Amino acid sequence: MARTILKGTTTRSAEEISTLIEESGGGISAESGGSSWSVTVDLLKPDLAMGMEVMSDVLRHPAYPVAEVKREKGIQLAALKAEADRLTNVAFREMREALFGFGAPAPEPFP
């Protein structure tokens, strides 16, 4: 769902955000993981102020357009289903349940 943050702000459309960054030869992306998310802007030093202003706008004033959120939700649900059906994931779940019982919590990540 992190990608929806780049779909526009209250002051800029998604196209304006990408045009500003890409015309400067840079890139902007948003990623999320199990317990974290990030927004990254890659630019050359002369464009740093503009990049920080755009990133600030993205972080402070996201619009989260309803259509884009619904679309991303569908993509994420399909990815979860595909992952749940992947043979190696099914085998790992079965092994964990056989060893530790049904509903055993996932191990804690290393610090």
Side-chain angles (χ1 to χ4, degrees):
M1 296 299 283
R3 291 181 290 223
T4 59
I5 201 168
L6 300 178
K7 298 301 182 182
T9 69
T10 56
T11 59
R12 291 184 175 97
S13 69
E15 293 78 25
E16 289 172 311
I17 292 168
S18 64
T19 299
L20 276 169
I21 300 297
E22 291 172 6
E23 281 182 350
S24 299
I28 187 168
S29 63
E31 305 291 330
S32 62
S35 61
S36 64
W37 64 272
S38 66
V39 174
T40 305
V41 177
D42 294 311
L43 292 166
L44 296 174
K45 189 175 181 177
D47 300 310
L48 179 62
M50 180 274 300
M52 293 301 289
E53 198 278 320
V54 171
M55 189 160 86
S56 173
D57 189 31
V58 165
L59 293 171
R60 295 177 69 206
H61 308 110
Y64 294 115
V66 174
E68 291 295 334
V69 171
K70 283 183 181 180
R71 184 170 104 49
E72 186 65 25
K73 181 179 178 182
I75 291 168
Q76 293 297 319
L77 289 173
L80 287 171
K81 182 174 179 354
E83 185 175 319
D85 293 343
R86 194 168 292 126
L87 183 58
T88 54
N89 292 345
V90 172
F92 180 74
R93 269 195 320 273
E94 292 294 324
M95 180 185 71
R96 188 176 67 223
E97 289 175 11
L99 292 172
F100 304 110
F102 181 76
E108 291 292 320
F110 291 108

